[in-house]
Amino acid sequence: MTVESSAARGTRRGGTETGGDAGRTARAAESPKPAKRATAKAPAKTAAKAPARKAPAKRTPAKATKAAKTAKTAKTARQAGPAAPTTPAEPQLVQLLTPEGKRVADAEYDPYVADITAEELRGLYRDMVLTRRFDAEATSLQRQGELGLWASLLGQEAAQIGSGRATREDDWVFPTYREHGVAWCRGVDPANLLGMFRGVNHGGWDPNSNHFQLYTIVIGSQTLHATGYAMGITKDGADSAVIAYFGDGASSQGDVNEAFTFSAVYNAPVVFFCQNNQWAISEPTEKQTRVPLYQRASGFGFPGVRVDGNDVLACLAVTKAALARARRGEGPTLVEAFTYRMGAHTTSDDPTRYRSDDERESWEARDPIQRLRAHLEAEGHADEAFFTALEEESEALGRRVREAVRAMPDPDPMAMFEHTYADGHALVDEERAEFAAYQASFEDADVTGKAN
């Protein structure tokens, strides 16, 4: 399939339609100039030659009734609000693996995965399995009171692993709070992801060590950060690129749309990767937009593409293409990964209150891990020994993460007063002293058996 750029669409429309300034100019040239009105100073004989103006024709009862009906219909339409949207064109979807694991051809994106080996396919499968196991362990830890909150990625493994493996080491990643699979691809220890959700640190890793920024809780703000960084890359003359992750709900945020504007105007080397998991907490996508999300890009002047978010191979190819385009200096791309959030929005959410079991079951049939496994087995790229060994590795990862979380030391309570101001501050010093005395009162109580 071919994803048509907005520039190309604009050119095509310009050649077939009359619109814009050119259309207005053409219509003005074709219209005859209006005749000059006779003035009071005109000769009397000239005025006499002018044809008499006809009196307006009287409306017949039939015409009057028709006019009244038209006016009533227009008034009713205004009161009812905007007209129902026209049915948009069928969305295009890039897919290289069917839900049954069958490889399908795509002339545009096949070249980006043409040289992928059986070992690399097994690697993608391993990434998804281990990410899902880690995610399940984190959910269990939250239910056991070890974490304050957790945002599961269950069902979105292909979108994250495929796009994450498409990045180069010198690319920069700006995540939200659910990109656990991308973090895995960038070499972030899974245990480090949990420190923030346990409340013992503000992130747990150095973004400069792996070009993976800290998780962003504020919805959509990371797209502006990514755009600004991409603009800086252009000024530095580097050929790396930036990728920003967000969800379908965030696409309605002002920050995201501002990032679209700036990235397009400054031709920033950034890829906007939207994981459309169908639900913005409890709000379905159809209540957020009248057109497929990827088509929004055309309004900002850059291309958009929808990819099967449960197809790890297609996500890999599409993201590689978008990043390559950014590195060539051709500007931003919006990738909409059409996927599904199998679990809750977070562990504080109950999805059974707003979506049906039938909906979930229909998406379970498109499970990204089972899809790639079917392909590996059909092509003879993996045997039972591989899957057995991977199962053992995933259980070992779960145990390691659980032990690491429970061993995390509590942060120093006094640390909250550090790094607030560059220099000393009288009020902060006073509050620090009061809090230190309060903390010391518990120590005295432990020693004497009673509070002082």
Side-chain angles (χ1 to χ4, degrees):
M1 61 166 282
T2 300
V3 179
E4 186 180 27
S5 68
S6 58
R9 285 193 291 272
T11 303
R12 174 170 53 79
R13 287 196 297 270
T16 57
E17 300 176 0
T18 301
D21 294 337
R24 286 192 292 272
T25 302
R27 288 193 294 274
E30 294 170 358
S31 302
K33 294 183 178 180
K36 293 183 179 179
R37 289 186 177 181
T39 63
K41 296 181 180 179
K45 60 181 180 180
T46 304
K49 290 182 179 179
R53 297 179 66 181
K54 293 182 179 180
K58 293 183 178 180
R59 288 185 178 181
T60 63
K63 289 183 178 180
T65 302
K66 183 177 180 180
K69 287 183 177 180
T70 302
K72 184 177 180 181
T73 301
K75 181 179 180 182
T76 303
R78 287 194 298 271
Q79 293 174 343
T86 57
T87 303
E90 185 68 22
Q92 300 178 11
L93 183 72
V94 178
Q95 185 182 84
L96 301 182
L97 287 178
T98 68
E100 296 75 29
K102 182 181 178 181
R103 180 72 163 88
V104 291
D106 187 292
E108 183 172 357
Y109 292 103
D110 278 345
Y112 292 95
V113 291
D115 58 350
I116 194 167
T117 65
E119 181 180 1
E120 289 171 329
L121 286 172
R122 289 192 296 270
L124 293 173
Y125 182 83
R126 173 180 176 272
D127 289 337
M128 290 195 291
V129 169
L130 294 181
T131 299
R132 179 173 290 188
R133 180 64 185 86
F134 156 69
D135 180 71
E137 190 62 38
T139 300
S140 297
L141 286 167
Q142 193 283 329
R143 297 307 189 200
Q144 295 163 9
E146 301 290 349
L147 302 178
L149 187 73
W150 183 247
S152 174
L153 61 60
L154 183 63
Q156 299 178 219
E157 294 88 354
Q160 295 195 15
I161 297 301
S163 61
R165 289 302 181 194
T167 61
R168 288 191 334 203
E169 186 177 350
D170 60 334
D171 293 334
W172 274 85
V173 178
F174 288 76
T176 59
Y177 47 78
R178 201 188 302 274
E179 274 66 65
H180 319 314
V182 185
W184 171 269
C185 293
R186 300 299 293 185
V188 177
D189 190 322
N192 284 343
L193 294 176
L194 302 180
M196 180 178 68
F197 293 94
R198 188 172 171 83
V200 301
N201 60 42
H202 296 297
W205 66 90
D206 178 10
N208 294 306
S209 64
N210 44 31
H211 292 192
F212 185 81
Q213 286 289 336
L214 299 178
Y215 275 5
T216 306
I217 304 300
V218 178
I219 305 299
S221 64
Q222 72 281 0
T223 57
L224 283 173
H225 307 158
T227 298
Y229 200 93
M231 290 164 61
I233 286 177
T234 301
K235 292 182 180 297
D236 290 342
D239 70 339
S240 54
V242 175
I243 183 169
Y245 289 86
F246 58 98
D248 49 294
S251 69
S252 300
Q253 290 289 111
D255 284 2
V256 174
N257 290 270
E258 290 166 8
F260 287 175
T261 297
F262 271 86
S263 65
V265 170
Y266 287 92
N267 208 47
V270 58
V271 174
F272 297 106
F273 195 92
C274 175
Q275 294 175 82
N276 179 4
N277 62 22
Q278 312 302 314
W279 291 93
I281 307 183
S282 59
E283 196 77 355
T285 307
E286 59 264 22
K287 289 190 176 181
Q288 302 176 57
T289 177
R290 288 183 171 182
V291 299
L293 293 179
Y294 77 96
Q295 292 182 6
R296 286 182 170 182
S298 62
F300 293 90
F302 56 89
V305 56
R306 173 180 278 188
V307 61
D308 186 338
N310 286 17
D311 178 355
V312 67
L313 200 60
C315 289
L316 176 67
V318 168
T319 310
K320 275 187 174 183
L323 289 169
R325 181 177 180 276
R327 295 189 192 100
R328 291 194 302 268
E330 298 177 22
T333 302
L334 172 61
V335 176
E336 178 194 358
F338 198 74
T339 182
Y340 191 75
R341 190 193 75 217
M342 300 296 292
H345 172 69
T346 67
T347 46
S348 63
D349 172 44
D350 179 9
T352 63
R353 299 182 62 182
Y354 54 80
R355 68 185 191 189
S356 67
D357 291 338
D358 291 342
E359 178 182 297
R360 177 190 169 101
E361 290 171 2
S362 69
W363 278 93
E364 284 178 345
R366 291 174 261 183
D367 182 88
I369 295 180
Q370 291 302 319
R371 182 182 305 203
L372 183 54
R373 176 165 182 160
H375 178 71
L376 290 173
E377 291 177 331
E379 298 296 323
H381 292 328
D383 55 18
E384 195 59 36
F386 166 76
F387 296 115
T388 301
L390 182 55
E391 181 65 25
E392 295 173 355
E393 183 182 4
S394 67
E395 290 303 313
L397 174 62
R399 288 192 298 271
R400 181 175 73 81
V401 169
R402 183 166 59 252
E403 293 168 359
V405 167
R406 290 176 174 171
M408 288 180 179
D410 291 336
D412 178 10
M414 303 302 296
M416 73 174 82
F417 298 99
E418 304 299 330
H419 311 298
T420 305
Y421 293 94
D423 300 318
H425 190 282
L427 180 59
V428 174
D429 292 342
E430 180 183 346
E431 291 173 341
R432 181 190 293 107
E434 290 178 356
F435 189 73
Y438 175 72
Q439 292 290 106
S441 69
F442 292 99
E443 297 176 1
D444 294 343
D446 290 340
V447 173
T448 63
K450 61 180 179 179
N452 292 333

